[in-house]
Amino acid sequence: MMAASLTGLPALAAGEVNVYTNREPGQYSATLDEFTKATSIKVNAIFSEQGLAERIAAEGDRSPADVLITVDIGRLQQALDLGVAQPVRSEAIAAAVPANLRDPDGRWTALSMRARTIYVSKDRVPDTALTYESLADPKWKGKVCTRSFQHPYNIALTAAMLVKKGEEKTRAWLEGVKANLAKKPSGGDRDVAKDIAAGVCDVGLGNSYYVGLMATGKNEDQKKWAAAIRPVLPTFEDGGTHVNVSGAVVAKNAPNRENAIKLIEYMVSPDAQHVFADVNYEYPIREGVAVNPFIASFGKLKPDPMSLADVAKARKRASELVDEVGFDR
């Protein structure tokens, strides 16, 4: 993989593809390297934590971007809202990716899944079967930790609750979870594990892959946090586990469009899906690809079948509801 600055990408070159991504290079570089080995197409990749969809929009028809790789349905929807994605019809993508994890008009596709799990204290919580709704049960009063509910991960969960339950029940759920908080929402998902390990709370929301990253990383404190929690795969009362995704779009003015499609097709192939599973501790979106054994130890994931496109449409109202109940205050 060839790294490049935000201003130094070649606009058009045979046998190349230009990738804009906010995913950490270590999380996808092996996949891109293998794509180049398999196709001889050189990947020019740039990384920035924020603002890539906006940058593509600002660059307009002069943009060198071929592919945007990002995380969270909210960021994929943002690419649509900004008009920087184009529709793609690919039999390979359609065969590999479930329909509810693709844009109905072909403008984005999931590449991997991450479950919104509930971290529980190994020592203090014997429950192994929980629902998202149960976080509002008064039995958890003063025992729940979470990052901000305006964070995209929690906005997506709230939007999914809206799709499932409607506005009245979602508002009541938010009020119930807020009433059970042990502390003001703060930090990230790793901090939820940290607070459970410290006895600040007993349960909290966190993405599945963080547990693998903490447990196998070099940070000794994070290893202790991971050892103190047990990830539970919750479900909706009338559904499955909420999943979010990493995903990709082909940029509207992609100068190397065919290579862009080839790259995305490769990223949903069995070989690339194994990298997402074993390097990133994510769930493959392709059926038949094994989940990393550490993540598989959480139990069998049964993703809720709702369309993530519907979740994306509900995000704005979800964010408004979070503010209306004063969740983060």
Side-chain angles (χ1 to χ4, degrees), residues 151-169:
H151 188 277
Y153 298 161
N154 285 334
I155 288 295
L157 175 59
T158 305
M161 189 70 74
L162 268 172
V163 173
K164 281 282 185 187
K165 300 289 188 178
E167 186 166 319
E168 182 179 347
K169 290 183 177 180

Side-chain angles (χ1 to χ4, degrees), residues 291-305:
V291 177
N292 179 277
F294 182 87
I295 300 299
S297 71
F298 303 169
K300 183 173 177 57
L301 175 69
K302 297 178 181 178
D304 193 273

Side-chain angles (χ1 to χ4, degrees), residues 26-88:
Q27 295 178 332
Y28 65 85
S29 58
T31 304
L32 301 186
D33 289 344
E34 289 303 314
F35 170 74
T36 296
K37 290 178 183 177
T39 64
S40 298
I41 296 170
K42 183 172 69 172
V43 179
N44 304 304
I46 61 169
F47 166 79
S48 179
E49 290 186 359
Q50 302 291 335
L52 288 176
E54 294 93 336
R55 183 177 184 87
I56 295 172
E59 290 169 343
D61 59 10
R62 299 184 303 278
S63 177
D66 293 309
V67 178
L68 171 65
I69 298 174
T70 188
V71 293
D72 190 82
I73 184 60
R75 285 174 171 160
L76 292 167
Q77 182 62 41
Q78 181 190 39
L80 271 57
D81 293 342
L82 290 171
V84 300
Q86 63 169 286
V88 169

Side-chain angles (χ1 to χ4, degrees), residues 2-257:
M2 176 181 174
S5 70
L6 281 170
T7 58
L9 289 179
L12 179 63
E16 296 190 358
V17 63
N18 300 323
V19 176
Y20 283 24
T21 182
N22 64 359
R23 299 213 69 182
E24 292 286 350
Q27 295 178 332
Y28 65 85
S29 58
T31 304
L32 301 186
D33 289 344
E34 289 303 314
F35 170 74
T36 296
K37 290 178 183 177
T39 64
S40 298
I41 296 170
K42 183 172 69 172
V43 179
N44 304 304
I46 61 169
F47 166 79
S48 179
E49 290 186 359
Q50 302 291 335
L52 288 176
E54 294 93 336
R55 183 177 184 87
I56 295 172
E59 290 169 343
D61 59 10
R62 299 184 303 278
S63 177
D66 293 309
V67 178
L68 171 65
I69 298 174
T70 188
V71 293
D72 190 82
I73 184 60
R75 285 174 171 160
L76 292 167
Q77 182 62 41
Q78 181 190 39
L80 271 57
D81 293 342
L82 290 171
V84 300
Q86 63 169 286
V88 169
R89 296 289 179 230
S90 164
E91 292 183 5
I93 294 172
V97 185
N100 67 310
L101 301 181
R102 290 182 273 119
D103 175 55
D105 297 321
R107 294 168 295 174
W108 61 263
T109 183
L111 301 177
S112 61
M113 295 184 293
R114 57 274 302 280
R116 198 70 179 142
T117 65
I118 296 178
Y119 300 167
V120 306
S121 168
K122 282 183 180 178
D123 296 334
R124 302 183 299 277
V125 180
D127 307 60
T128 57
L130 296 170
T131 64
Y132 296 108
E133 292 89 342
S134 71
L135 288 175
D137 190 318
K139 78 174 185 178
W140 299 118
K141 188 172 181 62
K143 296 182 179 180
V144 176
C145 286
T146 180
R147 74 194 309 161
S148 166
F149 248 62
Q150 284 294 359
H151 188 277
Y153 298 161
N154 285 334
I155 288 295
L157 175 59
T158 305
M161 189 70 74
L162 268 172
V163 173
K164 281 282 185 187
K165 300 289 188 178
E167 186 166 319
E168 182 179 347
K169 290 183 177 180
T170 300
R171 181 189 295 272
W173 175 71
L174 287 168
E175 291 172 342
V177 179
K178 175 179 169 60
N180 288 340
L181 292 175
K183 56 178 289 191
K184 181 179 178 180
S186 62
D189 288 0
R190 287 180 174 91
D191 294 291
V192 172
K194 177 183 179 181
D195 286 338
I196 292 173
V200 174
C201 49
D202 289 350
V203 299
L205 287 162
N207 278 351
S208 49
Y209 64 92
Y210 281 115
V211 187
L213 295 174
M214 288 189 294
T216 62
K218 296 180 180 180
N219 187 303
E220 293 302 321
D221 287 335
Q222 292 189 14
K223 287 182 179 179
K224 293 175 183 176
W225 306 342
I229 65 171
R230 183 176 66 255
V232 173
L233 291 172
T235 64
F236 294 103
E237 289 175 351
D238 54 351
T241 298
H242 170 64
V243 297
N244 211 317
V245 295
S246 71
V249 306
V250 175
K252 180 181 179 180
N253 297 300
N256 302 291
R257 183 178 188 274

